[in-house]
Structure formats: C-alpha cells, structure tokens
Amino acid sequence: MDSELMPIGSTLGILGGGQLGRMMALAARVLGIRTMVWDPQPESPAFLVADHHLSEPYDSEAAWDAFVSRVDRVTYEFENINWRLAQRIAEEKPVFPSFDILRICQERLREKDAARAFGLATTPYRRVQTAQDLLDAAKDLGTPGVLKTVSGGYDGKGQVVIGNAAEAIAVGQQLEASRVYIYEKWVAFTREVSVVVARDVHGNLVTYPATENHHHRGILDYSVVPAGVSEKERAALESAARQLASGLELVGVMALEFFVTDQGEILFNEMAPRPHNSGHWTIDAAWPSQFMQHVRAVAGWPVLTPRWWSPVVMVNLLGDLFLDGDWSRLTRVAAMDGVQLHWYEKREMRPGRKVGHVTILADSRDRALAEARRIKEMLGGQWHDGA
Ligand code: AMP
C-alpha cells in the first residue's frame, strides 16, 4: 500500500489546518483526492476547503478513531506535531514524510547532526543545558553566537544573540533547567537561501530553483527568485538539498534553509519536512506547485520535473497591515496586473501573524522587486531592503 498510487476519490489526512494545510487541500482537490484535516483550532483556514475536519485535541482518542478510520494516507503541515502521534498513526495508515524525519526536524541538534551525517556543512554548534555549557560553547566556538531552544521555536522565537563572554554568563543565569539549547556560531552571511526538494516513493528526486529569503524580526518578509547567487553556489545548494533528501529517504516535499557567505560557503541552517513559506511562489510562477508536488509524492504519484517561467517575488502579508479593519488597500492590490493575492481567511488579524501573501511576476528580478516594494507600501507596510 505504501508505494501504491492513491486512487482518485480516496482521502488524504492532514495534521494541522493552517495555511499550509489549506494549500495542500486545494492541491489535493485538483487531483480529485479528498482531505480530512485535524486541528484543535476551531477556526483553522484549511477547514474551509477540506472535505472533512476534526477540531479536537491531538490526544483525543475519539478523534484518533475518527481520523484513522476515515483516511487512506496521512501527511502533516507543520513540524511541531508530536512525532509519536505520527508514529502511532503509521501503525494503521501510511504517513509521509516518515515520522522519523519529523522526529529529526523537531529538534535543532538532531537536524544539524543529520545534515552533517549526510555531508552538509553547518556553522559550528554545540548542545547547551547549563550556564557552564553556554560559557564553554561561547569560549570554544567563539562569539558572536546565537542560543536557540532545540525545540518548539519558530519564526525566530526562542532565540537570543550572545555578543561576548559576559553576555554568555548573563544569559546562562536565565536558562530553564529542564530545557535543552543549541549554541551556534553567528554566520556573517550575504544571503539566506532555501531549496525546495520533492522526492517520490520510487526515489525520483526534483528540486526547485534556489529562493532568496529576507526576514524581518525573525519572520520571512519576502522571497525572490532567481536568488542572487552564483552558478557555482546554485549547483552546490541543489546538490546539498539532493544529498539530504535522498539520505533521509524523503517522500514528499521538504525545504532546506542555508546561509551563503561571502566566501561562497553554503551552510545548512534548518529544514522543514513539508511545503514551505519560501516556496509559495511556485503556485503562480512554476509548475507544478510545491503543494501539488507534495500531494503527488505523498499519494504515491511520481513527482514531476518542475518548470519555472518567470522572475518572481513573494511578499508575506502579516496581520499588522490590517489591524485597522480597512480592506480597501488590499482590494486595490488584488486588482493589479502581474499580482496574485492569496488570502488565508484567518478570522483574527494579529501582529506577526501570516494572513496572506502576494506573488508578483515580472520580466526581471529587479522589476519584480521594485513592484513588490510599491505594493508593500500601498498596503501601508514598510519595505525592508536587504532585511
Ligand atoms: P532559524 O529559526 O534558525 O531559522 O533562525 C531565524 C533567523 O535568525 C534566520 O533566518 C537567520 O536570519 C537568523 N539566524 C539564525 N541562526 C543564525 C546564525 N547561526 N548566524 C546568523 N544568523 C542566524
């Protein structure tokens, strides 16, 4: 069953009902594959497009029965799902990507260890649990560095920059005794780049063009394709992504994030075993989209060699832009040529919350960037150059 083609009309279970689950369900719909989304949040954006949904806690036995009995195969839209839940589901129904990949991606130390094991370079890092560990790490690996919780952090949450030994001592006093951390040497990168890779049950593996990412306050602000990297760097990024995805025997889509330094070093930072925010541009400027590719691979269909036809910029829309409840700016942008709005239908607009994105296609990278800037400003947002 694991490697069989999921027939049209069968049901894909999706753990997590945010925008990624929603875009997965929309892709499944195109193929005639039904979806059942499980998310404890009653107003999950994916519920609006799924055939069935369960708004129950993940530890509910009744929900477990209802989910497992109804779905033919399972995937997940975010990596903070307890991997033991995925493992337990896998005893009944195939789960892709495997719960083991999920387990690795949930923990920064495991993730970087795995990347190294498959031959990828990373910045120096070390496990930290006590104040002494932190001071030793800062001394041995050098400062500046960044201390991160090994699990549970996302969008830059749970991270603190350590500038020198004195700061390492001060931060060391505040460590939570039950938590594990990772100390990483700070990377003076010139670019942050991600690569989306898809691999099917037969081992066919394809990659999308490298995407350049710009963050603001730890949250992805905008992505640009083509990335501003050399041909050599592009090839190295692609081969690193291939190495890791095939090493992990991925089935589905995975995104790998890298730092590119001015020395041309490619350093792995982290990965997500699912479609990724930095791959949203593939919906409008590539074929098939990362979501279609993910559904195909998870459903046992072969992945397709991606085609890409236009320079593109994807701009994230955060709740901050719409706190005043005025939608007229958004309507104006949605009506522009060369611009596609994706709205996630989240009920509540909160600062820092991703509520939609826009994709801007143009005939050059620079024109797409200029247009993206204009649109961000039309929406009342600020453009963060080279952020
Ligand atoms: P992460 O949660 O690991 O993706 O970190 C969030 C953001 O913090 C990254 O996208 C980088 O911009 C920055 N960052 C994280 N780790 C490092 C590092 N070791 N050196 C420099 N910047 C970092």
Side-chain angles (χ1 to χ4, degrees):
M1 170 67 188
D2 285 25
S3 60
E4 277 169 23
L5 222 82
M6 239 175 115
I8 286 164
S10 49
T11 302
L12 176 65
I14 303 174
L15 297 170
Q19 62 268 22
L20 299 174
R22 175 185 169 98
M23 290 185 267
M24 279 181 198
L26 286 169
R29 184 95 274 155
V30 173
L31 293 177
I33 289 175
R34 308 227 159 99
T35 51
M36 177 163 201
V37 175
W38 184 0
D39 193 312
Q41 293 296 327
E43 288 177 355
S44 296
F47 289 175
L48 297 167
V49 301
D51 295 86
H52 311 282
H53 68 262
L54 272 172
S55 162
E56 300 292 334
Y58 287 126
D59 58 3
S60 153
E61 282 303 315
W64 153 270
D65 286 340
F67 187 73
V68 169
S69 63
R70 205 141 189 192
V71 300
D72 298 293
R73 214 170 272 209
V74 175
T75 189
Y76 42 88
E77 61 125 32
F78 77 126
E79 61 275 22
N80 290 329
I81 292 278
N82 189 336
W83 65 268
R84 288 181 200 281
L85 174 65
Q87 183 185 35
R88 189 171 162 223
I89 293 172
E91 287 166 15
E92 306 285 330
K93 298 286 164 71
V95 177
F96 294 120
S98 70
F99 66 84
D100 204 40
I101 296 184
L102 181 61
R103 192 181 70 89
I104 291 168
C105 293
Q106 265 171 14
E107 222 250 32
R108 292 182 189 277
L109 281 161
R110 276 194 214 122
E111 189 175 53
K112 285 202 166 63
D113 288 348
R116 285 207 170 177
F118 292 115
L120 279 66
T122 67
T123 194
Y125 62 93
R126 194 176 285 177
R127 182 180 198 277
V128 167
Q129 204 161 8
T130 64
Q132 190 60 48
D133 292 344
L134 178 56
L135 187 58
D136 291 346
K139 280 190 176 150
D140 297 347
L141 306 185
T143 50
V146 53
L147 185 74
K148 306 176 181 176
T149 50
V150 290
S151 57
Y154 66 95
D155 284 347
K157 295 192 180 81
Q159 306 196 7
V160 50
V161 175
I162 311 272
N164 50 47
E167 286 179 24
I169 292 168
V171 172
Q173 304 306 317
Q174 292 159 32
L175 298 184
E176 286 175 53
S178 56
R179 268 198 178 269
V180 179
Y181 303 83
I182 179 173
Y183 179 83
E184 296 175 16
K185 181 87 194 291
W186 188 257
V187 181
F189 55 80
T190 52
R191 292 257 186 260
E192 287 197 74
V193 176
S194 58
V195 178
V196 171
V197 46
R199 185 174 174 277
D200 63 29
V201 285
H202 308 291
N204 301 311
L205 197 156
V206 296
T207 57
Y208 285 88
T211 303
E212 175 184 319
N213 299 319
H214 295 264
H215 295 82
H216 182 65
R217 300 211 174 108
I219 302 175
L220 182 64
D221 192 14
Y222 60 97
S223 294
V224 189
V225 177
V229 292
S230 68
E231 275 315 307
K232 201 170 153 210
E233 288 161 347
R234 199 181 303 281
L237 284 157
E238 186 184 320
S239 92
R242 286 182 163 272
Q243 249 164 275
L244 191 52
S246 58
L248 291 169
E249 298 183 16
L250 169 75
V251 173
V253 157
M254 159 170 245
L256 290 83
E257 295 182 65
F258 298 92
F259 299 131
V260 180
T261 71
D262 57 0
Q263 309 293 313
E265 282 174 302
I266 305 289
L267 302 175
F268 168 88
N269 179 37
E270 61 178 3
M271 57 186 163
R274 52 166 173 81
H276 192 254
N277 194 171
S278 68
H280 288 359
W281 63 268
T282 62
I283 301 175
D284 303 307
W287 174 92
S289 75
Q290 61 166 351
F291 297 99
M292 178 61 77
Q293 203 82 276
H294 184 72
V295 171
R296 291 182 65 100
V298 166
W301 298 40
V303 292
L304 300 172
T305 304
R307 281 148 214 256
W308 161 64
W309 47 73
S310 172
V312 55
V313 174
M314 187 282 317
V315 180
N316 267 339
L317 304 180
L318 301 184
D320 313 53
L321 293 173
F322 310 102
L323 295 174
D324 61 4
D326 177 3
W327 303 104
S328 57
R329 301 182 306 258
L330 189 65
T331 319
R332 276 214 308 282
V333 165
M336 289 167 69
D337 193 19
V339 180
Q340 178 65 53
L341 169 70
H342 296 254
W343 191 248
Y344 306 152
E345 297 186 279
K346 293 189 179 174
R347 287 274 179 88
E348 232 188 293
M349 296 293 115
R350 284 199 300 265
R353 187 179 205 200
K354 293 170 185 168
V355 295
H357 72 265
V358 281
T359 324
I360 298 118
L361 276 70
D363 53 14
S364 76
R365 177 190 144 100
D366 286 346
R367 282 208 191 97
L369 273 167
E371 192 65 352
R373 179 185 194 128
R374 194 162 78 88
I375 287 165
K376 186 80 184 283
E377 289 169 355
M378 272 174 73
L379 288 169
Q382 221 189 329
W383 185 257
H384 306 285
D385 235 347

